[in-house]
Amino acid sequence: MEKLNWLKSGIFLGSVFFLAVLLVKPIGVSTQFVILDAIIGDTINTELITETNDGKIQSTNSYLNKSGAKYAKSANQPLNYGFIFVIALAIGAFISSRLRNGVDQSEKLSPKVWNDKFGNFSNKRFLVTFVSGFVVLFGARLAGGCTSGHMMSGLMQTSISAYLFTLGIFLAAIPTALIVYSKSTNRKRSK
């Protein structure tokens, strides 16, 4: 199976980001998890998102109701650019996988550095990945954005907050990686 060329892929990704900003708006995905939660919540509790007599959308949830009920409106009318974009990401990944004749078995295996440190337990890795993803998404929503919105779209637009966000990510990620994988690194050196 042929791996994707990093240079061609990078140029393609940069072009997609540029076109998105030029034609619609910067790319970001974490907000759509809020919208999906609101859609599910509104299905369970039909009073979560309501329409007033004068046609305005509102929510009993203050987070959905902030900024002129922007999130409540998006959940009430989910067929919008952002929500369709996130669904298209999953579909695009699936199509890419099929075009490459599936995912190679070696890509499904845990990296050696993980196995050296934690053992070859896929359930443990899935749990850690899920919890880590949840923490990142929770933090992204607290900050009002995500890595694709703040870092990728923001850097492309030369946003100062994006530079600070990116610096913060690396200031946290590098020491975390050094701590998490320290024993496997030391063990490797001593062999």
Side-chain angles (χ1 to χ4, degrees):
M1 175 186 320
E2 183 182 331
K3 294 215 176 203
L4 297 173
N5 177 286
W6 69 269
L7 181 59
K8 289 178 185 174
S9 300
I11 291 169
F12 180 73
L13 181 63
S15 300
V16 168
F17 268 83
F18 178 76
L19 286 173
V21 170
L22 183 68
L23 300 174
V24 187
K25 66 178 188 174
I27 290 175
V29 297
S30 66
T31 299
Q32 301 315 311
F33 288 96
V34 173
I35 304 307
L36 180 61
D37 290 345
I39 292 168
I40 294 168
D42 192 47
T43 303
I44 296 167
N45 174 11
T46 55
E47 294 181 14
L48 180 65
I49 300 171
T50 56
E51 190 171 340
T52 62
N53 291 335
D54 57 351
K56 291 183 180 179
I57 303 296
Q58 63 183 14
S59 176
T60 55
N61 180 290
S62 60
Y63 189 76
L64 297 177
N65 219 30
K66 73 178 191 173
S67 301
K70 179 174 79 170
Y71 297 148
K73 289 175 190 171
S74 291
N76 193 50
Q77 302 281 325
L79 292 178
N80 58 55
Y81 168 78
F83 202 70
I84 291 172
F85 177 79
V86 171
I87 292 169
L89 284 174
I91 293 169
F94 176 77
I95 291 170
S96 173
S97 169
R98 295 293 110 207
L99 290 174
R100 294 174 48 209
N101 298 321
V103 178
D104 188 68
Q105 187 62 31
S106 66
E107 291 183 54
K108 294 180 181 179
L109 299 175
S110 298
K112 184 176 179 349
V113 69
W114 171 273
N115 292 340
D116 289 350
K117 177 79 174 184
F118 303 106
N120 191 12
F121 303 106
S122 58
N123 289 342
K124 181 191 276 186
R125 186 148 189 254
F126 291 144
L127 178 66
V128 169
T129 302
F130 179 82
V131 170
S132 301
F134 178 84
V135 169
V136 168
L137 183 59
F138 185 78
R141 291 315 313 148
L142 282 177
C146 62
T147 53
S148 57
H150 277 310
M151 188 187 291
M152 297 169 79
S153 291
L155 288 176
M156 188 177 73
Q157 298 172 81
T158 64
S159 165
I160 291 176
S161 63
Y163 287 107
L164 293 173
F165 177 78
T166 304
L167 178 66
I169 283 194
F170 282 100
L171 286 175
I174 292 170
T176 300
L178 290 172
I179 291 167
V180 168
Y181 293 115
S182 63
K183 284 185 182 176
S184 65
T185 305
N186 291 339
R187 196 177 333 149
K188 209 176 206 181
R189 285 184 188 149
S190 63
K191 286 184 180 179

